[in-house]
Coordinates of all heavy atoms in Angstrom, one line a residue:
G291 N 85.9 97.0 116.6 CA 86.7 98.0 115.8 C 88.0 98.5 116.6 O 88.7 99.3 116.1
A292 N 88.2 97.8 117.7 CA 89.3 98.4 118.6 C 90.7 97.7 118.3 O 91.7 98.2 118.8 CB 89.0 98.2 120.1
S293 N 90.7 96.7 117.5 CA 92.0 96.0 117.2 C 91.9 95.3 115.9 O 90.8 95.2 115.3 CB 92.3 95.0 118.3 OG 91.4 94.0 118.4
V294 N 93.0 94.8 115.4 CA 93.0 94.0 114.1 C 93.8 92.8 114.3 O 94.6 92.6 115.3 CB 93.6 94.8 113.0 CG1 92.8 96.1 112.7 CG2 95.1 95.2 113.3
T295 N 93.7 91.8 113.4 CA 94.5 90.6 113.4 C 94.9 90.3 112.0 O 94.3 90.7 111.0 CB 93.7 89.4 113.9 OG1 92.5 89.2 113.2 CG2 93.3 89.5 115.4
A296 N 96.0 89.6 111.9 CA 96.5 89.2 110.6 C 97.1 87.8 110.7 O 97.9 87.5 111.6 CB 97.6 90.2 110.0
R297 N 96.7 86.9 109.8 CA 97.1 85.5 110.0 C 97.2 84.8 108.7 O 96.5 85.2 107.7 CB 96.2 84.8 110.9 CG 94.7 84.9 110.6 CD 93.8 84.6 111.7 NE 92.4 85.0 111.6 CZ 91.4 84.3 111.2 NH1 91.6 83.0 110.9 NH2 90.2 84.8 111.0
V298 N 98.0 83.7 108.6 CA 98.1 82.9 107.4 C 98.0 81.4 107.9 O 98.8 81.0 108.8 CB 99.4 83.1 106.7 CG1 99.6 82.1 105.6 CG2 99.4 84.5 106.0
H299 N 97.2 80.6 107.4 CA 97.1 79.2 107.7 C 96.1 78.5 106.8 O 95.3 79.1 106.1 CB 96.5 79.1 109.2 CG 95.2 79.8 109.4 ND1 94.0 79.4 108.9 CD2 94.9 80.9 110.1 CE1 93.0 80.2 109.2 NE2 93.6 81.1 110.0
P300 N 96.2 77.1 106.7 CA 95.2 76.4 105.9 C 93.9 76.5 106.6 O 93.7 76.6 107.8 CB 95.8 75.0 106.0 CG 97.1 75.0 106.5 CD 97.2 76.3 107.4
A301 N 92.8 76.5 105.7 CA 91.5 76.5 106.3 C 90.5 75.9 105.3 O 90.7 75.9 104.1 CB 91.0 78.0 106.5
M302 N 89.5 75.3 105.9 CA 88.4 74.8 105.1 C 87.5 76.0 104.7 O 87.2 76.8 105.6 CB 87.6 73.7 105.8 CG 88.3 72.5 106.1 SD 87.3 71.3 107.0 CE 88.4 69.9 107.2
I303 N 87.0 76.0 103.5 CA 86.1 77.1 103.1 C 85.0 76.4 102.3 O 85.2 75.4 101.5 CB 86.7 78.2 102.3 CG1 87.4 77.7 101.0 CG2 87.6 79.0 103.1 CD1 87.9 78.8 100.1
P304 N 83.7 76.8 102.4 CA 82.6 76.2 101.7 C 82.8 76.3 100.2 O 83.3 77.3 99.7 CB 81.4 77.0 102.2 CG 81.8 77.6 103.4 CD 83.3 77.9 103.3
L305 N 82.3 75.3 99.5 CA 82.4 75.3 98.0 C 81.6 76.5 97.4 O 81.9 76.9 96.3 CB 82.0 74.0 97.4 CG 82.8 72.8 97.8 CD1 82.2 71.5 97.3 CD2 84.2 72.9 97.3
S306 N 80.7 77.0 98.2 CA 79.9 78.1 97.7 C 80.6 79.4 97.8 O 80.2 80.4 97.2 CB 78.6 78.2 98.5 OG 78.9 78.4 99.9
H307 N 81.7 79.5 98.5 CA 82.5 80.7 98.6 C 83.3 81.0 97.3 O 83.9 80.0 96.8 CB 83.4 80.7 99.8 CG 84.0 82.0 100.2 ND1 85.0 82.6 99.5 CD2 83.6 82.9 101.2 CE1 85.3 83.8 100.1 NE2 84.4 84.0 101.1
P308 N 83.4 82.2 96.8 CA 84.1 82.5 95.6 C 85.5 82.0 95.6 O 86.1 81.6 94.6 CB 84.0 84.0 95.5 CG 82.8 84.4 96.2 CD 82.7 83.4 97.3
L309 N 86.2 82.1 96.8 CA 87.6 81.6 96.8 C 87.8 80.1 96.6 O 88.9 79.7 96.2 CB 88.2 82.0 98.1 CG 88.5 83.5 98.4 CD1 89.0 83.7 99.8 CD2 89.4 84.1 97.4

Side-chain angles (χ1 to χ4, degrees):
S293 63
V294 298
T295 58
R297 51 197 166 101
V298 169
H299 54 72
M302 294 182 180
I303 57 171
L305 295 175
S306 58
H307 194 281
L309 290 176

